[in-house]
Amino acid sequence: MRAVENYTFSAKAEERFKKLETQFPERESLVLWALHLVQEDAGYIPPSAISYVAERVGVSRSHVQGVISFYAMFHDKPMGKFHLQVCVNASCWLAGSDELEKTIENHLQIRPGETTSDGLFTYNRQGECLASCGTAPVVQINADYHESMTPQKLETLIEQLKRDS
Amino acid sequence: MAAPLEKRIILADYGKPDSHTLSVYEAGGGYTALKKALVSEKDKWTPDGIINEVKASNLRGRGGAGFPTGLKWSFVPRNTGKPTYVVCNADESEPGTFKDRVILEDLPHSIIEGMILAGLALESRQGYIYLRGEFYKGWQRVDAAIQEAYAKGYLGENVLGSGKTFHLATYRGAGAYICGEETALLESLEGRRGHPRLKPPFPAVKGLYGSPTTVNNVETFAAIPHIINNGGEWFKKLGIGNEKSGGTKLFSVSGHVMKPGVYEVPMGISLIDFINETAGGIRPGKELKAVIPGGSSTPVMTRQEVMRAKLDYESMAELGTFLGSGGMIVLDSSTDMVQLTKRLADFYAHESCGQCTPCREGSKWIADIIDRLIDGHAVEDDLKTLLSFTKNMGNGTTICPFADANVMGVVPIVEKFYDEFLHYLEKGKSGEGK
Ligand SMILES: Cc1cc2nc3c(=O)[nH]c(=O)nc-3n(C[C@H](O)[C@H](O)[C@H](O)COP(=O)(O)O)c2cc1C
Ligand code: SF4
């Protein structure tokens, strides 16, 4: 993970940002992209990245802050290494997402919005449909979808993530 | 493999290994429409030539509203001196809808070819694909496909040596359903919060960066190469219902069917045949109870209504609902309609962007009343109140149609399955629910 004090883009993020700068006629468009790059670097948006993004893009700090607070995927606090999101919208609920919520709460002893004390897992209920209704229920872990999930599969997966880290 | 009643045009390559790559797309006839339009039949495919062919196809916007695509393109002024933009709405977040994800992940070149053709029609030199942030794999696939298309000369300063320019770039949203609404999408693409804009002006005239813009759905663009290849008349006649609903359409079906998934069928086929034959029917021992036909914002249909329905825009409207996005949720006799309503009401309450009071407050009231009902704290008047104030929530009192979508998604469930809501009320009174 990238240092969060005096944040600056990693070399990879810098390279992508330079390309993005050529793709949009107005620099304001770069705000969301820049925040995605920060989050890929640091796992969340550290306070120092707010001024950094504002400066790099050429907008005010409050603009950047407003964007962060509007969009659910931008996190202004550190997250667990693995962010578990259980889709609880209609089709996933029909397919048993309640059981997945219970599995996480029992197995990891955390409630929605909380992170395990070892910093490994953050858990959220995802109210927005993840467009995985045909393979419901789905749990998103970081960028990946885990589809047709069952409590047993989820427990196994959690245990494996623990072992691997 | 096609399922019963399926007619695969857009999905022809779906399921083939590496269907997302350029070589598989080209092997299936990909980019021949573009070559025709720019090289072998370039005199025929003037901007008006393309627009007229799309008009003749009766292709209607696949994002939900069903607006005729050719007509929409004809509203975009050319030669204003400003650039014109082609924007693909890949925000797909309407509950129950998961068809665009298949195209993005498995058939990304069809979107790119469709967008380049749209660019030719509108004399645009720049397109953007706006994907919801959660679609990381979809974004990777689209991004890789764009790079392949640049390398092969389908994109760039001099597309296929024609002297015409078309650039394409991606944008990622970050978790906000409202960014699927086209003006919110444009705000977001300009780097701001996704607050819908007051219309008019419409994006056709004043869209991205204040310039003429078309915003179209993923599936809409994916249909375009087939229309240019085979003709508008051919596409129109793929539909077997009302001729105003041309072509085939992708339906994503979930809930209590044996074979949930994404299927492409001719417009106008019977809904119950689709459920029973294409989607494998209801689970054994259960009966069909209701269907939410086109995403959570389309009014629920009772079993009786489903029996009479055909899958085209006109037939669905006659039954008081919409074809919408084609995101179908099938519900069997085991479904608790009150609990289902809670899932939807919570979703809308969370996703309202908050600009308009009727929407911001109304969506929370709906969710609160349903919560109270489930907790056993509701009173008789609560349900009446819900049915009354929701009449004033949309209907032009708000900036965008989100409030109407909320009302259409929730109120018909309460009305058509009122007994179940009363049952919760009775349970609450007797202290059972508390
Ligand atoms: C609340 C709301 C959410 C929407 N979400 C989407 C979406 O996720 N994808 C989409 O293509 N259209 C969505 N739309 C419709 C768009 O505003 C727009 O009509 C559509 O992208 C136009 O493309 P089309 O003509 O090809 O359908 C939404 C509309 C509203 C009001
Ligand atoms: S209707 Fe709702 S979502 Fe649409 S602009 Fe108003 S508050 Fe925002």
Side-chain angles (χ1 to χ4, degrees):
Chain A
M1 288 277 141
R2 189 127 186 106
V4 296
E5 275 159 46
N6 301 319
Y7 171 87
T8 55
F9 283 147
S10 63
K12 191 168 154 242
E14 184 66 41
E15 193 189 321
R16 285 174 66 194
F17 188 73
K18 289 245 164 70
K19 181 164 181 210
L20 289 161
E21 282 181 308
T22 67
Q23 294 181 321
F24 298 90
E26 297 196 10
R27 294 190 62 83
E28 235 181 290
S29 283
L30 297 167
V31 174
L32 269 77
W33 259 129
L35 291 170
H36 278 299
L37 296 179
V38 171
Q39 208 157 264
E40 280 182 32
D41 269 353
Y44 77 111
I45 315 283
S48 67
I50 295 173
S51 329
Y52 180 72
V53 166
E55 214 168 284
R56 289 299 301 263
V57 175
V59 295
S60 66
R61 273 181 55 108
S62 65
H63 179 143
V64 177
Q65 244 149 355
V67 167
I68 296 170
S69 66
F70 182 83
Y71 293 97
M73 279 175 70
F74 293 136
H75 308 296
D76 58 6
K77 305 232 162 41
M79 304 290 288
K81 185 170 180 198
F82 302 107
H83 184 197
L84 311 175
Q85 297 188 78
V86 180
C87 176
V88 299
N89 210 304
S91 296
C92 280
W93 167 70
L94 290 170
S97 60
D98 284 355
E99 294 305 313
L100 302 180
E101 291 181 58
K102 279 189 211 138
T103 303
I104 295 180
E105 293 188 19
N106 292 337
H107 201 74
L108 292 174
Q109 293 292 314
I110 45 174
R111 314 253 312 144
E114 293 179 352
T115 301
T116 50
S117 50
D118 57 9
L120 275 187
F121 298 98
T122 300
Y123 157 51
N124 279 115
R125 302 175 84 225
Q126 167 64 283
E128 240 202 294
C129 172
L130 287 175
S132 186
C133 323
T135 45
V138 62
V139 179
Q140 188 181 352
I141 304 183
N142 298 348
D144 299 325
Y145 281 23
H146 297 266
E147 302 174 58
S148 306
M149 202 30 93
T150 63
Q152 292 74 20
K153 273 161 73 178
L154 185 55
E155 272 188 33
T156 313
L157 187 61
I158 290 172
E159 284 310 310
Q160 193 190 326
L161 292 173
K162 275 189 195 164
R163 271 198 307 276
D164 293 351
S165 47
Chain B
M1 283 288 277
L5 304 180
E6 256 202 304
K7 172 94 186 161
R8 286 186 167 198
I9 307 292
I10 291 171
L11 292 186
D13 286 343
Y14 177 40
K16 286 191 190 156
D18 297 324
S19 63
H20 59 282
T21 59
L22 180 61
S23 53
V24 174
Y25 185 63
E26 283 178 331
Y31 290 109
T32 51
L34 185 65
K35 287 175 187 154
K36 276 191 195 176
L38 280 176
V39 187
S40 58
E41 300 174 4
K42 69 173 183 221
D43 296 334
K44 181 177 172 193
W45 300 108
T46 58
D48 286 331
I50 298 175
I51 291 175
N52 288 334
E53 205 65 45
V54 176
K55 274 188 183 165
S57 75
N58 284 359
L59 170 66
R60 294 172 56 175
R62 301 302 196 223
F67 194 83
T69 305
L71 190 62
K72 184 168 184 169
W73 289 2
S74 72
F75 293 155
V76 179
R78 291 173 256 147
N79 308 324
T80 56
K82 290 186 192 168
T84 304
Y85 295 106
V86 175
V87 175
C88 175
N89 187 341
D91 192 60
E92 184 167 67
S93 344
E94 172 80 3
T97 312
F98 51 102
K99 64 184 179 76
D100 295 341
R101 188 178 152 213
V102 162
I103 306 177
L104 292 160
E105 290 183 1
D106 294 335
L107 308 159
H109 280 286
S110 63
I111 310 167
I112 297 173
E113 188 179 7
M115 288 184 76
I116 306 171
L117 290 163
L120 293 176
L122 303 177
E123 297 181 4
S124 162
R125 298 155 61 92
Q126 177 72 57
Y128 293 105
I129 302 181
Y130 182 104
L131 296 106
R132 66 181 294 184
E134 292 87 349
F135 281 172
Y136 193 76
K137 179 177 173 193
W139 170 75
Q140 285 179 313
R141 289 276 172 91
V142 169
D143 192 56
I146 289 176
Q147 287 176 35
E148 283 182 311
Y150 266 106
K152 202 70 192 276
Y154 296 130
L155 287 170
E157 293 291 332
N158 184 12
V159 177
L160 294 174
S162 65
K164 299 217 160 82
T165 296
F166 195 72
H167 289 289
L168 202 49
T170 59
Y171 204 77
R172 291 182 63 210
Y177 166 70
I178 194 58
C179 289
E181 193 282 328
E182 58 186 5
T183 61
L185 183 152
L186 294 173
E187 281 291 305
S188 181
L189 183 47
E190 290 183 15
R192 291 190 286 274
R193 292 189 267 193
H195 284 169
R197 300 172 180 168
L198 209 54
K199 294 194 264 193
F202 289 92
V205 180
K206 203 163 181 278
L208 187 63
Y209 309 125
S211 289
T213 301
T214 188
V215 181
N216 285 108
N217 173 257
V218 167
E219 184 189 346
T220 308
F221 284 121
I224 301 295
H226 301 286
I227 292 170
I228 299 303
N229 264 328
N230 303 300
E233 196 63 23
W234 166 84
F235 187 81
K236 180 166 92 184
K237 293 214 169 105
L238 291 171
I240 59 170
N242 191 305
E243 73 157 22
K244 286 189 201 149
S245 297
T248 52
K249 164 103 191 73
L250 270 56
F251 290 91
S252 61
V253 52
S254 65
H256 298 136
V257 289
M258 294 302 288
K259 293 178 182 162
V262 176
Y263 301 102
E264 181 174 9
V265 294
M267 280 279 189
I269 70 165
S270 129
L271 171 53
I272 191 68
D273 289 350
F274 175 80
I275 292 171
N276 284 336
E277 293 175 38
T278 316
I282 302 294
R283 299 183 294 183
K286 297 285 196 306
E287 266 181 49
L288 177 69
K289 179 173 186 175
V291 171
I292 298 174
S296 67
S297 308
T298 57
V300 68
M301 305 169 82
T302 61
R303 184 166 190 270
Q304 290 74 13
E305 288 164 336
V306 170
M307 293 302 172
R308 289 186 281 140
K310 284 199 191 123
L311 290 174
D312 63 39
Y313 294 101
E314 290 71 22
S315 314
M316 297 301 270
E318 272 168 32
L319 289 166
T321 186
F322 297 98
L323 195 71
S325 61
M328 202 182 282
I329 306 176
V330 177
L331 305 164
D332 73 17
S333 41
S334 71
T335 314
D336 180 332
M337 299 305 268
V338 180
Q339 290 286 353
L340 174 76
T341 306
K342 176 177 166 52
R343 303 295 156 153
L344 300 180
D346 284 351
F347 163 73
Y348 287 107
H350 188 258
E351 296 298 327
S352 164
C353 88
Q355 284 191 102
C356 320
T357 312
C359 174
R360 182 184 63 241
E361 300 298 324
S363 61
K364 297 219 163 33
W365 284 3
I366 297 176
D368 282 350
I369 289 176
I370 303 298
D371 268 347
R372 279 209 294 281
L373 200 60
I374 289 173
D375 290 349
H377 292 112
V379 292
E380 205 98 46
D381 275 351
D382 277 338
L383 284 174
K384 290 193 191 120
T385 310
L386 187 150
L387 292 176
S388 147
F389 77 76
T390 47
K391 290 196 173 62
N392 301 321
M393 253 179 83
N395 287 325
T397 61
T398 54
I399 294 175
C400 92
F402 175 99
D404 304 85
N406 185 353
V407 173
M408 283 190 301
V410 170
V411 171
I413 307 183
V414 181
E415 285 171 343
K416 291 180 184 178
F417 298 92
Y418 202 67
D419 284 355
E420 292 188 37
F421 289 79
L422 283 180
H423 181 66
Y424 266 85
L425 201 62
E426 293 306 318
K427 265 200 328 195
K429 271 196 221 148
S430 68
E432 245 185 88
K434 284 182 192 143

PDB file of all heavy atoms in Angstrom, chain B residues 294-315:
ATOM      1  N   GLY B 294     -39.634  -5.193 -16.112  1.00  0.00           N
ATOM      2  CA  GLY B 294     -38.546  -4.520 -16.814  1.00  0.00           C
ATOM      3  C   GLY B 294     -37.636  -3.710 -15.926  1.00  0.00           C
ATOM      4  O   GLY B 294     -37.271  -2.587 -16.236  1.00  0.00           O
ATOM      5  N   GLY B 295     -37.216  -4.306 -14.822  1.00  0.00           N
ATOM      6  CA  GLY B 295     -36.464  -3.560 -13.820  1.00  0.00           C
ATOM      7  C   GLY B 295     -37.404  -3.136 -12.710  1.00  0.00           C
ATOM      8  O   GLY B 295     -38.619  -3.045 -12.910  1.00  0.00           O
ATOM      9  N   SER B 296     -36.828  -2.861 -11.532  1.00  0.00           N
ATOM     10  CA  SER B 296     -37.654  -2.643 -10.340  1.00  0.00           C
ATOM     11  C   SER B 296     -38.576  -1.440 -10.457  1.00  0.00           C
ATOM     12  O   SER B 296     -39.516  -1.309  -9.694  1.00  0.00           O
ATOM     13  CB  SER B 296     -36.753  -2.459  -9.119  1.00  0.00           C
ATOM     14  OG  SER B 296     -36.022  -1.260  -9.242  1.00  0.00           O
ATOM     15  N   SER B 297     -38.309  -0.553 -11.416  1.00  0.00           N
ATOM     16  CA  SER B 297     -39.134   0.653 -11.529  1.00  0.00           C
ATOM     17  C   SER B 297     -40.355   0.454 -12.418  1.00  0.00           C
ATOM     18  O   SER B 297     -41.085   1.401 -12.669  1.00  0.00           O
ATOM     19  CB  SER B 297     -38.308   1.810 -12.082  1.00  0.00           C
ATOM     20  OG  SER B 297     -37.130   1.974 -11.332  1.00  0.00           O
ATOM     21  N   THR B 298     -40.574  -0.761 -12.918  1.00  0.00           N
ATOM     22  CA  THR B 298     -41.752  -0.990 -13.742  1.00  0.00           C
ATOM     23  C   THR B 298     -42.820  -1.692 -12.906  1.00  0.00           C
ATOM     24  O   THR B 298     -42.500  -2.594 -12.130  1.00  0.00           O
ATOM     25  CB  THR B 298     -41.415  -1.858 -14.977  1.00  0.00           C
ATOM     26  OG1 THR B 298     -40.846  -3.095 -14.547  1.00  0.00           O
ATOM     27  CG2 THR B 298     -40.429  -1.142 -15.884  1.00  0.00           C
ATOM     28  N   PRO B 299     -44.083  -1.249 -13.043  1.00  0.00           N
ATOM     29  CA  PRO B 299     -45.138  -1.803 -12.190  1.00  0.00           C
ATOM     30  C   PRO B 299     -45.250  -3.319 -12.263  1.00  0.00           C
ATOM     31  O   PRO B 299     -45.205  -3.917 -13.334  1.00  0.00           O
ATOM     32  CB  PRO B 299     -46.405  -1.131 -12.738  1.00  0.00           C
ATOM     33  CG  PRO B 299     -45.913   0.178 -13.272  1.00  0.00           C
ATOM     34  CD  PRO B 299     -44.569  -0.126 -13.856  1.00  0.00           C
ATOM     35  N   VAL B 300     -45.394  -3.923 -11.095  1.00  0.00           N
ATOM     36  CA  VAL B 300     -45.499  -5.379 -10.980  1.00  0.00           C
ATOM     37  C   VAL B 300     -46.751  -5.868 -11.712  1.00  0.00           C
ATOM     38  O   VAL B 300     -47.750  -5.169 -11.779  1.00  0.00           O
ATOM     39  CB  VAL B 300     -45.537  -5.777  -9.482  1.00  0.00           C
ATOM     40  CG1 VAL B 300     -46.835  -5.300  -8.812  1.00  0.00           C
ATOM     41  CG2 VAL B 300     -45.362  -7.277  -9.292  1.00  0.00           C
ATOM     42  N   MET B 301     -46.671  -7.072 -12.274  1.00  0.00           N
ATOM     43  CA  MET B 301     -47.814  -7.672 -12.968  1.00  0.00           C
ATOM     44  C   MET B 301     -48.299  -8.871 -12.178  1.00  0.00           C
ATOM     45  O   MET B 301     -47.501  -9.688 -11.703  1.00  0.00           O
ATOM     46  CB  MET B 301     -47.403  -8.164 -14.359  1.00  0.00           C
ATOM     47  CG  MET B 301     -46.765  -7.098 -15.204  1.00  0.00           C
ATOM     48  SD  MET B 301     -46.018  -7.817 -16.698  1.00  0.00           S
ATOM     49  CE  MET B 301     -47.494  -7.932 -17.716  1.00  0.00           C
ATOM     50  N   THR B 302     -49.618  -8.998 -12.057  1.00  0.00           N
ATOM     51  CA  THR B 302     -50.180 -10.188 -11.410  1.00  0.00           C
ATOM     52  C   THR B 302     -50.118 -11.350 -12.400  1.00  0.00           C
ATOM     53  O   THR B 302     -49.879 -11.161 -13.591  1.00  0.00           O
ATOM     54  CB  THR B 302     -51.657  -9.959 -11.047  1.00  0.00           C
ATOM     55  OG1 THR B 302     -52.376  -9.706 -12.258  1.00  0.00           O
ATOM     56  CG2 THR B 302     -51.808  -8.765 -10.104  1.00  0.00           C
ATOM     57  N   ARG B 303     -50.371 -12.534 -11.884  1.00  0.00           N
ATOM     58  CA  ARG B 303     -50.366 -13.725 -12.715  1.00  0.00           C
ATOM     59  C   ARG B 303     -51.316 -13.570 -13.913  1.00  0.00           C
ATOM     60  O   ARG B 303     -50.964 -13.905 -15.041  1.00  0.00           O
ATOM     61  CB  ARG B 303     -50.797 -14.892 -11.833  1.00  0.00           C
ATOM     62  CG  ARG B 303     -50.747 -16.214 -12.499  1.00  0.00           C
ATOM     63  CD  ARG B 303     -50.846 -17.308 -11.434  1.00  0.00           C
ATOM     64  NE  ARG B 303     -50.558 -18.576 -12.069  1.00  0.00           N
ATOM     65  CZ  ARG B 303     -51.480 -19.341 -12.619  1.00  0.00           C
ATOM     66  NH1 ARG B 303     -52.732 -18.977 -12.590  1.00  0.00           N
ATOM     67  NH2 ARG B 303     -51.139 -20.472 -13.202  1.00  0.00           N
ATOM     68  N   GLN B 304     -52.503 -13.050 -13.630  1.00  0.00           N
ATOM     69  CA  GLN B 304     -53.491 -12.877 -14.708  1.00  0.00           C
ATOM     70  C   GLN B 304     -52.944 -11.959 -15.789  1.00  0.00           C
ATOM     71  O   GLN B 304     -53.129 -12.197 -16.983  1.00  0.00           O
ATOM     72  CB  GLN B 304     -54.802 -12.290 -14.157  1.00  0.00           C
ATOM     73  CG  GLN B 304     -55.618 -13.222 -13.271  1.00  0.00           C
ATOM     74  CD  GLN B 304     -54.994 -13.406 -11.888  1.00  0.00           C
ATOM     75  OE1 GLN B 304     -54.094 -12.670 -11.482  1.00  0.00           O
ATOM     76  NE2 GLN B 304     -55.444 -14.416 -11.157  1.00  0.00           N
ATOM     77  N   GLU B 305     -52.288 -10.898 -15.383  1.00  0.00           N
ATOM     78  CA  GLU B 305     -51.728  -9.958 -16.367  1.00  0.00           C
ATOM     79  C   GLU B 305     -50.602 -10.610 -17.166  1.00  0.00           C
ATOM     80  O   GLU B 305     -50.484 -10.410 -18.370  1.00  0.00           O
ATOM     81  CB  GLU B 305     -51.233  -8.688 -15.662  1.00  0.00           C
ATOM     82  CG  GLU B 305     -52.373  -7.809 -15.162  1.00  0.00           C
ATOM     83  CD  GLU B 305     -51.935  -6.751 -14.136  1.00  0.00           C
ATOM     84  OE1 GLU B 305     -50.904  -6.947 -13.463  1.00  0.00           O
ATOM     85  OE2 GLU B 305     -52.647  -5.738 -14.016  1.00  0.00           O
ATOM     86  N   VAL B 306     -49.787 -11.389 -16.477  1.00  0.00           N
ATOM     87  CA  VAL B 306     -48.665 -12.058 -17.151  1.00  0.00           C
ATOM     88  C   VAL B 306     -49.190 -12.957 -18.270  1.00  0.00           C
ATOM     89  O   VAL B 306     -48.631 -13.014 -19.369  1.00  0.00           O
ATOM     90  CB  VAL B 306     -47.842 -12.896 -16.135  1.00  0.00           C
ATOM     91  CG1 VAL B 306     -46.830 -13.776 -16.853  1.00  0.00           C
ATOM     92  CG2 VAL B 306     -47.151 -11.961 -15.135  1.00  0.00           C
ATOM     93  N   MET B 307     -50.309 -13.647 -18.004  1.00  0.00           N
ATOM     94  CA  MET B 307     -50.853 -14.583 -18.988  1.00  0.00           C
ATOM     95  C   MET B 307     -51.213 -13.901 -20.303  1.00  0.00           C
ATOM     96  O   MET B 307     -51.205 -14.517 -21.356  1.00  0.00           O
ATOM     97  CB  MET B 307     -52.114 -15.269 -18.419  1.00  0.00           C
ATOM     98  CG  MET B 307     -51.831 -16.173 -17.258  1.00  0.00           C
ATOM     99  SD  MET B 307     -50.642 -17.436 -17.743  1.00  0.00           S
ATOM    100  CE  MET B 307     -50.292 -18.192 -16.189  1.00  0.00           C
ATOM    101  N   ARG B 308     -51.541 -12.621 -20.228  1.00  0.00           N
ATOM    102  CA  ARG B 308     -51.998 -11.915 -21.432  1.00  0.00           C
ATOM    103  C   ARG B 308     -50.889 -11.120 -22.108  1.00  0.00           C
ATOM    104  O   ARG B 308     -51.095 -10.524 -23.168  1.00  0.00           O
ATOM    105  CB  ARG B 308     -53.116 -10.929 -21.049  1.00  0.00           C
ATOM    106  CG  ARG B 308     -54.425 -11.619 -20.674  1.00  0.00           C
ATOM    107  CD  ARG B 308     -55.506 -10.593 -20.460  1.00  0.00           C
ATOM    108  NE  ARG B 308     -55.396  -9.971 -19.141  1.00  0.00           N
ATOM    109  CZ  ARG B 308     -55.590  -8.692 -18.883  1.00  0.00           C
ATOM    110  NH1 ARG B 308     -55.858  -7.844 -19.855  1.00  0.00           N
ATOM    111  NH2 ARG B 308     -55.483  -8.234 -17.654  1.00  0.00           N
ATOM    112  N   ALA B 309     -49.706 -11.075 -21.503  1.00  0.00           N
ATOM    113  CA  ALA B 309     -48.706 -10.092 -21.943  1.00  0.00           C
ATOM    114  C   ALA B 309     -47.843 -10.580 -23.092  1.00  0.00           C
ATOM    115  O   ALA B 309     -47.491 -11.756 -23.188  1.00  0.00           O
ATOM    116  CB  ALA B 309     -47.817  -9.723 -20.760  1.00  0.00           C
ATOM    117  N   LYS B 310     -47.506  -9.638 -23.954  1.00  0.00           N
ATOM    118  CA  LYS B 310     -46.506  -9.884 -24.995  1.00  0.00           C
ATOM    119  C   LYS B 310     -45.333  -8.951 -24.741  1.00  0.00           C
ATOM    120  O   LYS B 310     -45.513  -7.830 -24.276  1.00  0.00           O
ATOM    121  CB  LYS B 310     -47.096  -9.548 -26.356  1.00  0.00           C
ATOM    122  CG  LYS B 310     -48.056 -10.580 -26.865  1.00  0.00           C
ATOM    123  CD  LYS B 310     -48.195 -10.377 -28.369  1.00  0.00           C
ATOM    124  CE  LYS B 310     -49.341 -11.184 -28.914  1.00  0.00           C
ATOM    125  NZ  LYS B 310     -50.319 -10.350 -29.595  1.00  0.00           N
ATOM    126  N   LEU B 311     -44.150  -9.433 -25.093  1.00  0.00           N
ATOM    127  CA  LEU B 311     -42.951  -8.654 -24.787  1.00  0.00           C
ATOM    128  C   LEU B 311     -42.653  -7.618 -25.875  1.00  0.00           C
ATOM    129  O   LEU B 311     -41.693  -7.744 -26.621  1.00  0.00           O
ATOM    130  CB  LEU B 311     -41.760  -9.592 -24.596  1.00  0.00           C
ATOM    131  CG  LEU B 311     -41.818 -10.429 -23.314  1.00  0.00           C
ATOM    132  CD1 LEU B 311     -40.684 -11.433 -23.278  1.00  0.00           C
ATOM    133  CD2 LEU B 311     -41.780  -9.538 -22.081  1.00  0.00           C
ATOM    134  N   ASP B 312     -43.518  -6.617 -25.985  1.00  0.00           N
ATOM    135  CA  ASP B 312     -43.132  -5.430 -26.751  1.00  0.00           C
ATOM    136  C   ASP B 312     -43.640  -4.190 -26.028  1.00  0.00           C
ATOM    137  O   ASP B 312     -44.444  -4.296 -25.094  1.00  0.00           O
ATOM    138  CB  ASP B 312     -43.554  -5.511 -28.218  1.00  0.00           C
ATOM    139  CG  ASP B 312     -45.055  -5.570 -28.411  1.00  0.00           C
ATOM    140  OD1 ASP B 312     -45.784  -4.874 -27.676  1.00  0.00           O
ATOM    141  OD2 ASP B 312     -45.498  -6.318 -29.305  1.00  0.00           O
ATOM    142  N   TYR B 313     -43.143  -3.038 -26.434  1.00  0.00           N
ATOM    143  CA  TYR B 313     -43.431  -1.812 -25.682  1.00  0.00           C
ATOM    144  C   TYR B 313     -44.938  -1.545 -25.601  1.00  0.00           C
ATOM    145  O   TYR B 313     -45.466  -1.192 -24.552  1.00  0.00           O
ATOM    146  CB  TYR B 313     -42.715  -0.616 -26.331  1.00  0.00           C
ATOM    147  CG  TYR B 313     -41.213  -0.714 -26.247  1.00  0.00           C
ATOM    148  CD1 TYR B 313     -40.461  -1.124 -27.335  1.00  0.00           C
ATOM    149  CD2 TYR B 313     -40.540  -0.421 -25.064  1.00  0.00           C
ATOM    150  CE1 TYR B 313     -39.072  -1.231 -27.265  1.00  0.00           C
ATOM    151  CE2 TYR B 313     -39.154  -0.528 -24.976  1.00  0.00           C
ATOM    152  CZ  TYR B 313     -38.426  -0.932 -26.079  1.00  0.00           C
ATOM    153  OH  TYR B 313     -37.065  -1.042 -25.994  1.00  0.00           O
ATOM    154  N   GLU B 314     -45.636  -1.736 -26.737  1.00  0.00           N
ATOM    155  CA  GLU B 314     -47.051  -1.385 -26.790  1.00  0.00           C
ATOM    156  C   GLU B 314     -47.899  -2.307 -25.923  1.00  0.00           C
ATOM    157  O   GLU B 314     -48.758  -1.853 -25.172  1.00  0.00           O
ATOM    158  CB  GLU B 314     -47.554  -1.423 -28.242  1.00  0.00           C
ATOM    159  CG  GLU B 314     -47.003  -0.311 -29.130  1.00  0.00           C
ATOM    160  CD  GLU B 314     -45.526  -0.489 -29.469  1.00  0.00           C
ATOM    161  OE1 GLU B 314     -45.003  -1.621 -29.400  1.00  0.00           O
ATOM    162  OE2 GLU B 314     -44.876   0.536 -29.781  1.00  0.00           O
ATOM    163  N   SER B 315     -47.652  -3.625 -26.027  1.00  0.00           N
ATOM    164  CA  SER B 315     -48.482  -4.566 -25.265  1.00  0.00           C
ATOM    165  C   SER B 315     -48.302  -4.371 -23.770  1.00  0.00           C
ATOM    166  O   SER B 315     -49.263  -4.466 -23.005  1.00  0.00           O
ATOM    167  CB  SER B 315     -48.116  -6.018 -25.607  1.00  0.00           C
ATOM    168  OG  SER B 315     -48.017  -6.180 -26.983  1.00  0.00           O
TER     169      SER B 315
END
